[in-house]
Amino acid sequence: MSSQHTNDISDVPAVGEDSPFRQEHVRRDEAPQFVLPLVVRIEKAEPPARTDALETAARAVLVLLTDERAQGDGEWAGAVRDWQDARIRKVVRRARGAEWRKAETLPGITVDGDAAQVRVFPPVPLDGWPKELAKLQVSGTDLDDPEPVAAVTEPGLPVLWLNPGLDMSAGKAMAQAGHAAQLAWWELTGAERAAWQESGFRLAVRTAPRERWAELGGSGLPVVRDAGFTEIAPGSATVVADHPALRARL
């Protein structure tokens, strides 16, 4: 793995123009394609709130990237390296009951939100999902927030702003929030990364006010643009990663 994807403490961003999220790097499409599986627990009687699930999925991606098994010579490091060398694909599936218990037996990390639970697994080949995960459904992740979502008032809290003009399922939005968190992570210096990790990867996911979306998208903050494999058109801007350390550089 190149130095741009390590956790070394440095005074320069961990990634710049070579980010796999940048659309012009089409050579990444020629590499073997991998996918990061995420499974959200959705029990019939007590489904998680949508925003809680989105925030938990975003944190789960960061937790996996910083796990010692994904670093150096760790057992997941090769898979993570191969995944990051290609397009950064994420797929969210849902599970409940016995399905969730089986998913928990596979190598991975379960991340808890306020009530949401998301399990993230090391990357797998696009056509090489473990059978326990391959049979899980992608559809059916249409979650709601039972109460109005509070405005972000905490100073310095990173916010992942969703495009208010796109209608995405909860599963799609979870994957996009994970992309945004990862893109922000790569743009941070080592010291900034360490501070975020020490906070437990505190973050918020909110839908941007319509009057602010154009400003956010043109601000110079990291923008996730979807490849267009599912639900929305290719090149659609889905999320802006508003991390205070990155905003301070604008």
Side-chain angles (χ1 to χ4, degrees):
M1 183 180 296
S2 64
S3 60
Q4 68 191 31
H5 298 313
T6 67
N7 286 326
D8 295 339
I9 302 299
S10 67
D11 294 325
V12 296
V15 70
E17 64 182 10
D18 196 37
S19 167
F21 283 101
R22 298 181 188 275
Q23 298 296 307
E24 64 268 22
H25 287 271
V26 294
R27 66 179 180 275
R28 294 184 180 278
D29 294 322
E30 301 170 4
Q33 298 295 303
F34 288 75
V35 62
L36 186 76
L38 298 107
V39 175
V40 57
R41 183 178 186 179
I42 302 180
E43 300 291 347
K44 279 187 176 180
E46 296 181 296
R50 179 185 175 97
T51 296
D52 187 15
L54 267 60
E55 293 174 347
T56 305
R59 289 194 298 110
V61 172
L62 297 170
V63 168
L64 179 127
L65 289 173
T66 55
D67 191 279
E68 61 182 8
R69 290 166 289 184
Q71 305 296 320
D73 295 325
E75 60 185 292
W76 300 345
V80 171
R81 182 165 52 246
D82 290 341
W83 170 60
Q84 292 187 124
D85 283 344
R87 290 288 182 185
I88 308 302
R89 298 187 180 190
K90 300 177 181 70
V91 172
V92 177
R93 295 177 185 262
R94 61 181 173 88
R96 66 172 180 262
E99 296 173 332
W100 175 258
R101 291 190 291 273
K102 286 181 181 179
E104 285 196 301
T105 67
L106 299 179
I109 307 168
T110 297
V111 177
D112 296 324
D114 291 337
Q117 285 187 296
V118 174
R119 189 164 179 84
V120 59
F121 303 86
V124 298
L126 200 57
D127 58 355
W129 284 65
K131 64 180 185 300
E132 295 89 347
L133 302 182
K135 65 183 180 182
L136 298 178
Q137 295 296 311
V138 177
S139 61
T141 54
D142 295 323
L143 302 172
D144 296 313
D145 284 308
E147 302 291 338
V149 180
V152 176
T153 58
E154 181 180 334
L157 183 68
V159 182
L160 310 178
W161 293 107
L162 300 172
N163 186 337
L166 295 178
D167 183 16
M168 294 185 286
S169 68
K172 179 71 172 182
M174 288 169 70
Q176 298 299 303
H179 291 334
Q182 187 171 0
L183 186 52
W185 177 254
W186 281 343
E187 298 284 356
L188 296 173
T189 67
E192 291 161 350
R193 284 178 166 194
W196 200 9
Q197 186 173 5
E198 287 169 6
S199 78
F201 296 119
R202 289 183 57 76
L203 56 81
V205 177
R206 296 290 187 272
T207 299
R210 289 185 179 274
E211 65 273 14
R212 285 198 63 204
W213 178 249
E215 171 201 340
L216 286 164
S219 66
L221 292 167
V223 180
V224 178
R225 294 191 179 277
D226 192 63
F229 295 119
T230 60
E231 295 193 23
I232 56 179
S236 298
T238 58
V239 192
V240 172
D242 192 354
H243 191 289
L246 302 181
R247 179 169 285 279
R249 298 179 198 152
L250 299 179

